[in-house]
Amino acid sequence: MPTTTETTEQDKFSSRITFARGDGRTQFRGRLVSAGRIRNALDKPGQITIPAATLEAAVEMNQFNRLAAFVDHAGWFEGPSLRNLFGVWTDIEYNPESKSVDGILNCYDNDSNAPLIDTLNQMLDEDEPPDLGVSIVFYGTWETKDQGTEPRKLLGFQKVESADIVFMPAADGRILEALSALTEPCTCF
């Protein structure tokens, strides 16, 4: 049976949960994307807004289920590389309180992923960790608007390709807590 702890905005990087899982994979609870106006590379309000209703509808249509998680987004004119495959997102839910899409990141435990798994665990223990988080790659349907200063409104997702671990995520995607792969200790005779 899982033991859970409440997570608040103030302590979201320090909360922990214990979760028994048969295959022993490292897991993290995360926020894939939040509703609202995204931020740009200068850490200022960006030119895209994501309505909560758009996220909720996408979750209902299973558009976030079983998404791959890569280390960093692919570069321009590149596709995602299996060399950068970090894990897969499951247990996707729309969170009405935070107006976000949340899920479980099931990491592939291998030699190439071990350093990032270790880094994520260390970050969760820090009071002020670096701005590492989750960012989605998607193809959207947009509201048509006149040229102006208002941000573009995302009406829906044609396809969500991945939810990747990146520096400075635009839509407040975050690794929220670690889920331990520990089970009850074995008694050996």
Side-chain angles (χ1 to χ4, degrees):
M1 213 52 198
T3 304
T4 61
T5 57
E6 290 295 316
T7 303
T8 65
E9 195 62 30
Q10 186 174 17
D11 68 359
K12 68 183 176 184
F13 292 104
S14 62
S15 60
R16 287 285 189 264
I17 188 167
T18 302
F19 185 83
R21 183 178 168 90
D23 66 6
R25 239 190 229 185
T26 300
Q27 297 179 308
F28 295 95
R29 182 177 317 282
R31 178 186 318 128
L32 284 72
V33 60
S34 294
R37 193 165 179 176
I38 69 163
R39 65 177 172 161
N40 65 23
L42 298 175
D43 205 19
K44 305 285 185 208
Q47 289 300 310
I48 295 174
T49 187
I50 305 172
T54 300
L55 296 179
E56 189 171 13
V59 169
E60 289 174 8
M61 295 177 1
N62 296 315
Q63 291 186 293
F64 288 96
N65 289 347
R66 307 286 309 159
L67 286 180
F70 294 93
V71 177
D72 294 321
H73 290 317
W76 290 105
F77 306 110
E78 295 177 2
S81 171
L82 291 177
R83 288 183 304 276
N84 297 331
L85 185 60
F86 187 68
V88 62
W89 290 96
T90 61
D91 302 296
I92 301 298
E93 299 177 326
Y94 176 74
N95 183 333
E97 290 178 20
S98 60
K99 297 179 183 173
S100 63
V101 176
D102 298 348
I104 305 296
L105 175 57
N106 300 276
C107 302
Y108 292 113
D109 288 326
N110 56 46
D111 290 343
S112 63
N113 287 344
L116 183 54
I117 290 170
D118 186 49
T119 298
L120 292 174
N121 277 310
Q122 288 179 56
M123 284 178 45
L124 289 169
D125 289 332
E126 294 180 8
D127 291 332
E128 295 184 37
D131 194 3
L132 197 69
V134 181
S135 179
I136 61 173
V137 176
F138 68 93
Y139 302 90
T141 303
W142 304 94
E143 178 180 70
T144 54
K145 67 174 189 99
D146 297 328
Q147 296 292 335
T149 59
E150 292 299 312
R152 293 173 65 194
K153 182 177 177 182
L154 179 66
L155 298 177
F157 296 95
Q158 294 177 39
K159 176 174 178 51
V160 183
E161 185 175 89
S162 64
D164 304 332
I165 306 300
V166 301
F167 183 73
M168 281 190 68
D172 198 34
R174 298 287 167 203
I175 298 297
L176 300 174
E177 60 189 348
L179 304 179
S180 174
L182 299 175
T183 57
E184 291 187 18
C186 175
T187 304
C188 300
F189 297 100

